[in-house]
Amino acid sequence: MKKSSLAFVVVGTALLLAACTQEQQNKISRSVQNWTGTNGVLEFYAGDKLVRRFIHIDKISTAMGTDDNRPRSYRYGYGVLDENFNMVTDPGEKKVYFEISDFGSNYIFFESPR
């Protein structure tokens, strides 16, 4: 690709993003992140005590209704249940499905520092 063509694509993309609302920009960012993947960690707390940790999460999705296609009040994903909280997949620790309620769940989702 010529430099002038590349510059045109970069400027065009920047203009399109500038014209988008913040929510549209967030959706674009999430779709790119979902496509590229992440190495997420999800921790659940009971008060100040860590009670569950899932590691190696590539994304968390919002559940959508089958008939009305509206967002539901929970999110879901897949990750390795880190039973001993050491941030490493040990023998016997497997990838599992999880759901997170929007009501009363104390959790933190972050990119793994490892």
Side-chain angles (χ1 to χ4, degrees), residues 60-100:
I60 295 177
S61 300
T62 301
M64 301 297 281
T66 304
D67 296 329
D68 60 6
N69 202 34
R70 296 184 64 187
R72 295 299 188 234
S73 61
Y74 68 95
R75 290 172 175 61
Y76 66 93
Y78 292 88
V80 175
L81 178 59
D82 186 16
E83 295 180 34
N84 58 3
F85 306 123
N86 67 353
M87 299 284 285
V88 175
T89 303
D90 295 313
E93 293 179 340
K94 298 182 183 196
K95 193 170 202 172
V96 296
Y97 172 84
F98 59 83
E99 292 182 0
I100 309 163

Side-chain angles (χ1 to χ4, degrees), residues 6-67:
L6 180 60
F8 180 74
V9 170
V10 170
V11 169
T13 302
L15 288 173
L16 282 172
L17 285 175
C20 293
T21 65
Q22 183 66 41
E23 180 59 25
Q24 288 169 324
Q25 290 177 15
N26 289 342
K27 286 181 180 180
I28 292 168
S29 175
R30 285 191 299 269
S31 67
V32 169
Q33 185 175 9
N34 287 345
W35 178 67
T36 59
T38 61
N39 186 16
V41 177
L42 178 65
E43 295 180 337
F44 287 91
Y45 289 87
D48 62 347
K49 182 179 179 188
L50 176 64
V51 293
R52 287 279 186 273
R53 177 185 285 153
F54 297 92
I55 58 176
H56 305 299
I57 299 170
D58 59 350
K59 69 179 177 177
I60 295 177
S61 300
T62 301
M64 301 297 281
T66 304
D67 296 329

Side-chain angles (χ1 to χ4, degrees), residues 92-110:
E93 293 179 340
K94 298 182 183 196
K95 193 170 202 172
V96 296
Y97 172 84
F98 59 83
E99 292 182 0
I100 309 163
S101 169
D102 285 352
F103 307 109
S105 297
N106 294 323
Y107 66 91
I108 299 172
F109 180 71
F110 57 94

